[in-house]
Amino acid sequence: MEYEDFIGTLRRYAGLGEDEAERAVRATLGTLGERLSVGEGLLGRLPERVRAWMRTGRAPEPFDVDEFLRRVAEREGVDVEVAARHAREVFWLLGEVTAPGAIDGVAACLPEDFDSLVAEARRRGVRVMPAEEFLARVASRAGLEAADAHRATEAVLETLAECVAEGRAENLIGELAVPLHEPLKRGAAEGRAESVRMPLEDFVLRVAERQRADGQDVRGHARAVFTTLREATTERGFLDVMAGLPDEYRTLLTGR
């Protein structure tokens, strides 16, 4: 494929200007080249100019999706949420111009937290709910001000990541907006084997400690976050998390 056709395909799909599309491609694929060893199955379908951006000449670096998006944002000169949207669009472009086997090879080399990017290349169409929308839904459901909804969400996500089995927090990171990743990472880092299958009452108490919510309806806050989480993630992703929790946690889902 000629370079102009490659960039033009992205422009038509994403509604980007020519310079904006080129920056998005260069930043995303240049960073992808730092993350993994790119095989000829992928490179062979790309314009030579693009291949040159991906050939770093260095060993792959095992960074996570947040570091990937931070580097993309830095190269593009945009904030991380814009970079995340552009990266998903560039991965869609890879799925458009390369063979399925090449995408399978890329996916096999990336951890689960890259799932929202890989999903675009595989045409699974995962919509990532913006963090602002997620927090607004929590605030509305729990009757909280914006700052309190933010604290409640962080406390619930951190505790959830602490008490689910290893790997499940990473799956959630792959489906949620970037600003919601940090509490999940903190919780996963603090998790202990014995904390898996944490009773719901202990979960609520730990959320209350993190939220500093004396006298507040912490269980109601947790219900607002869990219900929003169900809306913001794929069915597969949400059920994977719930499968690692005792059945009593289903009382945190509105209408269940």
Side-chain angles (χ1 to χ4, degrees):
M1 176 178 280
E2 297 295 327
Y3 178 77
E4 291 75 14
D5 293 334
F6 185 83
I7 294 296
T9 300
L10 180 63
R11 290 182 62 193
R12 288 189 295 274
Y13 171 70
L16 302 176
E18 185 171 352
D19 290 345
E20 190 179 19
E22 181 173 305
R23 283 195 300 272
V25 169
R26 184 165 191 165
T28 300
L29 297 186
T31 307
L32 185 62
E34 294 174 342
R35 180 59 181 79
L36 48 80
S37 296
V38 183
E40 288 303 318
L42 178 62
L43 291 177
R45 299 290 187 96
L46 303 178
E48 178 54 41
R49 187 171 172 183
V50 176
R51 287 181 238 167
W53 295 338
M54 300 185 72
R55 290 183 175 124
T56 66
R58 300 193 300 270
E61 302 176 54
F63 46 78
D64 65 10
V65 73
D66 284 351
E67 175 60 14
F68 179 90
L69 295 175
R70 187 197 68 76
R71 295 187 188 196
V72 172
E74 185 177 85
R75 286 184 165 121
E76 262 199 274
V78 297
D79 65 42
V80 174
E81 291 201 83
V82 171
R85 186 179 74 248
H86 288 174
R88 288 194 295 274
E89 292 162 349
V90 173
F91 268 73
W92 177 92
L93 179 62
L94 287 180
E96 184 72 7
V97 304
T98 62
I103 299 302
D104 290 342
V106 169
C109 297
L110 295 173
E112 289 290 332
D113 59 2
F114 280 79
D115 187 64
S116 68
L117 300 178
V118 173
E120 291 296 329
R122 286 177 160 167
R123 299 297 185 270
R124 284 196 279 113
V126 174
R127 175 187 179 264
V128 177
M129 182 185 290
E132 183 176 307
E133 180 181 344
F134 190 106
L135 296 173
R137 292 190 187 195
V138 172
S140 176
R141 285 190 166 106
L144 293 171
E145 298 294 329
D148 293 329
H150 194 173
R151 279 193 295 272
T153 298
E154 289 215 339
V156 171
L157 292 180
E158 184 172 348
T159 309
L160 177 61
E162 182 183 0
C163 71
V164 296
E166 184 178 0
R168 287 194 163 106
E170 189 176 72
N171 293 345
L172 276 182
I173 287 171
E175 297 195 11
L176 295 177
V178 174
L180 302 176
H181 293 181
E182 190 55 38
L184 290 166
K185 288 183 173 182
R186 288 197 304 267
E190 295 169 9
R192 300 180 301 275
E194 65 267 26
S195 67
V196 176
R197 311 294 295 180
M198 182 189 294
L200 178 59
E201 194 59 38
D202 291 349
F203 180 92
V204 172
L205 288 173
R206 195 162 300 189
V207 170
E209 291 172 3
R210 286 185 164 126
Q211 193 181 345
R212 297 181 176 86
D214 293 341
Q216 297 187 41
D217 180 16
V218 176
R219 189 179 292 258
H221 301 171
R223 183 176 295 112
V225 175
F226 266 72
T227 301
T228 306
L229 190 63
R230 181 175 60 181
E231 296 170 345
T233 57
T234 63
E235 183 178 10
R236 179 181 67 87
F238 187 74
L239 291 178
D240 182 59
V241 171
M242 294 302 293
L245 299 170
D247 287 344
E248 61 183 332
Y249 278 71
R250 297 186 185 279
T251 63
L252 296 180
L253 295 174
T254 300
R256 295 292 181 92

